[in-house]
Amino acid sequence: MRSHTGLRALVAPGYPLLLLCLLAATRPDPAEGDPTDPTFTSLPVREEMMAKYSNLSLKSCNISVTEKSNVSVEENVILEKPSHVELKCVYTATKDLNLMNVTWKKDDEPLETTGDFNTTKMGNTLTSQYRFIVFNSKQLGKYSCVFGEKELRGTFNIHVPKAHGKKKSLIAYVGDSTVLKCVCQDCLPLNWTWYMGNETAQVPIDAHSNEKYIINGSHANETRLKIKHLLEEDGGSYWCRATFQLGESEEKNELVVLSFLVPLKPFLAILAEVILLVAIILLCEVYTHKKKNDPDAGKEFEQIEQLKSDDSNGIENNVPRYRKTDSADQ
C-alpha cells in the first residue's frame, strides 16, 4: 500500500508538470551538440569569420597590367577598420593567353590557392580576382598579382591612413611656447599619442602629470602638442601616433630651440668687421695728417736712411781692398 501511495503521489495533480520540467532541464540541447559525440565539430574558421564580419563594408580596387609594363603597377588601399577586400588584376596581351598563368603573393610570399581566387580568360584579356577579409594588422601589406614567366605584376599596398605633420623643422626660441600639429586626412583615428625621442627610444608624453605640455585638437582627425617655457634641451624629434582598429600610423616632427644670441651672431660678426675697417681708416688718416704737419720729420727720416746707405757702401768698398793688399804681401 505504501508503494502504491508513493506512485500515486507522483502522478497526483501538479506533479506531472514538475516531472516534465525536470526531464527537459536534464536533456542536452541538440543545437549545442554533444561534446562526447566524436562526430560533433565546430564551424570552420572561415565560416565563423564570414558570419562574424558579414556586415563589414567592401573595398574594391582594380589594376590594369599590359605586356609592355616594365615596372610594377601599384595602388594604395587605405583601411581604417576591418573590411571585405576585393583585389582585381586585368592583364591585356596581344598573344594567346592559354599558356599564361597568374599567381598571388603577399610580401613576395605565395598565397595558398583557395575558393577566394577567381581567374577568367576572355579573348586577349585575363582577369584575376582575390577576395578576403582584413580583420587585423597582420593582414596589412603588399598583395601582388604576378603574370607569366616575365613576372609582370600589379601590387596593392594595403595600410592604415597616414598621419601628416610639418615637413620642415619648426624653429622656436628659449622661453617661448610652440605648437606641433599632426593631421590625418579623411580619417578618424581612435586615439592620438605623442612621443618625444631620445637617443635610445620614444618616451610617451603625459600631459596630465606635466604642466609643460598641453595636448588637444579641434577635430578628431587632428592633434596639437603645445610646449611651454621652452629650453634648449626641448629641441629634438617628436612623434604623433594615430591608432586605428587595424594598426597605427606615426609622423615625425623636428623642433629646433635657439637662444636669442644665435640670430645676433651674424650681425655681431658684421659689426666687428665694420669696427676693424673704421679703425684702419682712422689710423691711416692720422698718419697722413701728421706727415703733412711735420715735414722736417720726413727729412730727418730721409737723412737717416741716406747715412745708413753710405755706411753700407763704405764697408763693401773696403773689404775687397784689404783682400788685394794681403795677396800682394804674399
Side-chain angles (χ1 to χ4, degrees):
M1 291 294 295
R2 291 181 181 178
S3 61
H4 292 288
T5 304
L7 183 60
R8 193 178 295 114
L10 289 175
V11 296
Y15 283 93
L17 181 59
L18 178 61
L19 183 60
L20 291 175
C21 293
L22 292 173
L23 291 175
T26 56
R27 184 178 180 181
D29 187 1
E32 296 180 354
D34 185 3
T36 60
D37 186 0
T39 62
F40 171 77
T41 56
S42 60
L43 291 174
V45 176
R46 183 172 177 274
E47 292 183 2
E48 290 182 358
M49 290 171 50
M50 293 295 292
K52 183 178 180 180
Y53 300 109
S54 59
N55 296 326
L56 298 181
S57 60
L58 174 64
K59 185 73 172 183
S60 181
C61 300
N62 301 331
I63 279 183
S64 297
V65 182
T66 64
E67 58 186 359
K68 297 181 181 180
S69 300
N70 296 325
V71 295
S72 175
V73 183
E74 297 190 7
E75 182 174 342
N76 291 321
V77 183
I78 301 175
L79 298 177
E80 291 186 45
K81 55 187 179 180
S83 304
H84 291 279
V85 177
E86 183 180 271
L87 307 179
K88 183 184 294 185
C89 291
V90 180
Y91 176 77
T92 305
T94 56
K95 60 182 180 180
D96 187 15
L97 296 176
N98 290 329
L99 300 178
M100 176 66 67
N101 60 345
V102 57
T103 57
W104 282 87
K105 296 182 179 182
K106 180 183 182 299
D107 299 328
D108 289 332
E109 294 293 331
L111 292 170
E112 297 181 0
T113 303
T114 64
D116 296 326
F117 294 91
N118 183 21
T119 301
T120 58
K121 298 178 181 180
M122 183 177 295
N124 61 346
T125 301
L126 187 150
T127 303
S128 182
Q129 177 180 295
Y130 176 39
R131 184 165 181 172
F132 60 104
I133 300 174
V134 176
F135 56 90
N136 60 34
S137 59
K138 294 181 180 180
Q139 294 178 284
L140 302 177
K142 293 185 177 182
Y143 290 79
S144 302
C145 53
V146 184
F147 295 92
E149 297 179 354
K150 295 183 178 180
E151 293 192 350
L152 303 174
R153 67 176 58 197
T155 301
F156 301 89
N157 298 315
I158 303 179
H159 56 82
V160 296
K162 292 184 178 181
H164 299 279
K166 191 174 183 179
K167 294 182 179 180
K168 296 183 179 179
S169 298
L170 182 64
I171 300 176
Y173 296 95
V174 173
D176 288 348
S177 298
T178 189
V179 177
L180 302 176
K181 179 181 178 181
C182 284
V183 178
C184 185
Q185 298 290 343
D186 301 326
C187 62
L188 296 175
L190 299 177
N191 186 37
W192 287 99
T193 309
W194 281 93
Y195 296 85
M196 182 178 181
N198 55 25
E199 297 180 356
T200 57
Q202 296 178 355
V203 180
I205 296 176
D206 188 0
H208 299 287
S209 59
N210 194 337
E211 296 181 354
K212 185 181 181 69
Y213 304 102
I214 298 176
I215 299 176
N216 55 25
S218 56
H219 303 284
N221 68 330
E222 71 175 25
T223 180
R224 298 172 185 266
L225 173 64
K226 183 177 181 180
I227 308 174
K228 300 183 294 183
H229 312 299
L230 286 172
L231 303 173
E232 289 191 24
E233 52 266 27
D234 291 327
S237 301
Y238 291 82
W239 280 267
C240 60
R241 182 176 298 174
T243 303
F244 303 91
Q245 294 185 34
L246 291 176
E248 298 176 336
S249 174
E250 64 181 19
E251 177 69 0
K252 183 179 179 181
N253 295 266
E254 288 290 341
L255 175 63
V256 179
V257 181
L258 304 176
S259 66
F260 286 102
L261 294 177
V262 172
L264 295 178
K265 287 182 179 179
F267 298 101
L268 294 176
I270 296 174
L271 181 60
E273 293 178 358
V274 172
I275 293 174
L276 180 61
L277 181 61
V278 171
I280 294 174
I281 294 173
L282 290 175
L283 290 175
C284 292
E285 290 291 335
V286 170
Y287 177 77
T288 304
H289 183 70
K290 185 177 181 181
K291 186 175 181 181
K292 289 181 180 180
N293 293 335
D294 191 6
D296 295 336
K299 292 180 180 180
E300 292 178 358
F301 179 76
E302 292 178 357
Q303 291 176 358
I304 292 172
E305 290 294 328
Q306 183 65 33
L307 291 173
K308 290 181 178 179
S309 177
D310 293 341
D311 292 340
S312 62
N313 290 334
I315 293 172
E316 290 178 357
N317 293 330
N318 291 331
V319 171
R321 184 168 59 249
Y322 292 149
R323 289 180 179 177
K324 289 180 180 181
T325 301
D326 295 339
S327 60
D329 293 338
Q330 291 177 356

